[in-house]
Structure formats: structure tokens, C-alpha cells
Amino acid sequence: MKLHLLLGLVAGLLFTTGAHATVIFQDDFDSEGAPGASVLNYNSFTNWTVTDGSVDLLADPNSWGIGCAGGTGKCVDMDGSSGNAGTLNSNMFTLAAGTYALLFDISGNQRNAPDDTMEVMLGGFLNETFVLSASAPWQTIIRGFTVMEETTSYISFNHNGGDNIGIILDNVAVVPEPGTLALLGLGLLGLGAARRRAAT
């Protein structure tokens, strides 16, 4: 729900600036599983397929003390509970020629375990490896890319390791470029509001 609200605000902001952008892909994992329930080795995603290893679906709050982005909703521990870290591939989506941005939130494993490594790919357009310490706070990653002609693609998050404690993933989206800065700005406002709520 948190991502839907954020993207709705971005769409409104874009409309007022004359841009007519639509969200290509989005998922905040909040509608997965039973309401308020965490599920170990979850593999029933609506918009994703676990193609290797396992991932855990985490509701915030949970008994492990792992917080999702914004301190609410659901998120994914990319190193599930099978001893084999997961690879999560999105459903295919179509990209027309143009400039886009991939956005997602990640944090360290939040459990004082060793550093974790995860490779992020988007078709033939993006390929980057992230190494996060356990204490790495939530951060919004934004990566721009250009498509020269219409194509279909997908997003892949491939976690290395197998100690059942991994990088935490939330709020994945692909948007046309005019909305990227507005989305980042609104995301920062949301983080500020969440911090103010936590401080009171």
C-alpha cells in the first residue's frame, strides 16, 4: 500500500507538470500472503518467480525484529530459510523506446551477520552488485537506463550466500524518467515522516 500511495502522488505531480508517464512495473509485496503474516521460503508471489534458492516474506512487525521500508507493510529477506540464498525474477513487462529508471529499497540483514552480496539485473540494460553490511540502513536505489526500441524485459535480484540471513528488499518499480526525481523527492519525504513518527 505504501508504494501505491507514493506512486499515486508521483502521478499527480507529473500530471501537474505536463508529463504523461505511467508506471511500467511496481511491487511493494504488501498484498502477498495472509494479512500481517510472515512466511518462510515463500514462493507464491503474484509478480515474481523464485528461480533458485529461497526467500522469506516478512511482515512488519515480526518476531525477528526485521523492519520493512517505512516501518510498515511487507518486504523480502533475499536469503530465505533453506540454506540456499534466493534469486527473484519479476514477470516480463514491455518497454517502449525511451528513458526509464529502476527503483528499489534495500537494507542490510539487520541481524549482525556478515556482509551480504546481491546482483541486480534488468534485461540487457542494468547489471550491478551490491554489498551491504548488516547495519546498512534502508536506502532507495535509483538507476536510469535507455531503451532504443520496444522490448520485453524483467528484473532479477540474485542473492549470494546461504546462511539464511540476507539483504532485505522492498518497493520495486520501473518508471519512465520524468518521474524519477519526483519519486525520489517523495520517497525522502516519506522517510522523514516515518522517522518523525518513530521519534515520538
Side-chain angles (χ1 to χ4, degrees):
M1 180 173 174
K2 55 190 174 283
L3 184 59
H4 297 287
L5 178 60
L6 182 61
L7 291 173
L9 290 170
V10 169
L13 219 146
L14 290 175
F15 180 76
T16 62
T17 61
H20 298 286
T22 58
V23 175
I24 306 302
F25 178 91
Q26 67 159 354
D27 200 343
D28 59 6
F29 307 109
D30 290 356
S31 62
E32 297 292 340
S38 297
V39 183
L40 301 180
N41 301 323
Y42 187 76
N43 60 6
S44 298
F45 291 97
T46 302
N47 297 317
W48 304 85
T49 302
V50 180
T51 59
D52 188 32
S54 65
V55 302
D56 293 337
L57 178 67
L58 305 175
D60 190 343
N62 54 68
S63 59
W64 304 283
I66 300 168
C68 296
T72 185
K74 294 185 180 179
C75 51
V76 175
D77 179 346
M78 290 300 300
D79 192 346
S81 300
S82 67
N84 183 16
T87 299
L88 196 59
N89 290 343
S90 75
N91 294 343
M92 300 292 286
F93 49 84
T94 300
L95 296 167
T99 305
Y100 299 87
L102 168 65
L103 304 95
F104 55 93
D105 292 332
I106 53 174
S107 82
N109 61 59
Q110 305 178 28
R111 288 164 285 177
N112 301 317
D115 293 357
D116 288 299
T117 303
M118 182 172 68
E119 183 181 19
V120 179
M121 295 173 284
L122 195 154
F125 304 105
L126 296 172
N127 189 334
E128 185 173 353
T129 299
F130 294 85
V131 179
L132 296 182
S133 68
S135 61
W138 279 104
Q139 54 191 295
T140 299
I141 306 297
I142 301 175
R143 296 294 183 264
F145 62 99
T146 301
V147 175
M148 300 308 291
E149 61 184 31
E150 184 173 304
T151 187
T152 55
S153 193
Y154 67 97
I155 309 161
S156 179
F157 294 93
N158 180 11
H159 199 290
N160 298 314
D163 60 0
N164 300 338
I165 299 173
I167 290 172
I168 312 300
L169 173 69
D170 206 348
N171 300 329
V172 182
V174 175
V175 298
E177 259 300 347
T180 305
L181 292 177
L183 187 57
L184 175 60
L186 289 171
L188 293 174
L189 287 174
L191 285 175
R195 286 187 181 151
R196 281 194 297 277
R197 278 196 313 264
T200 57

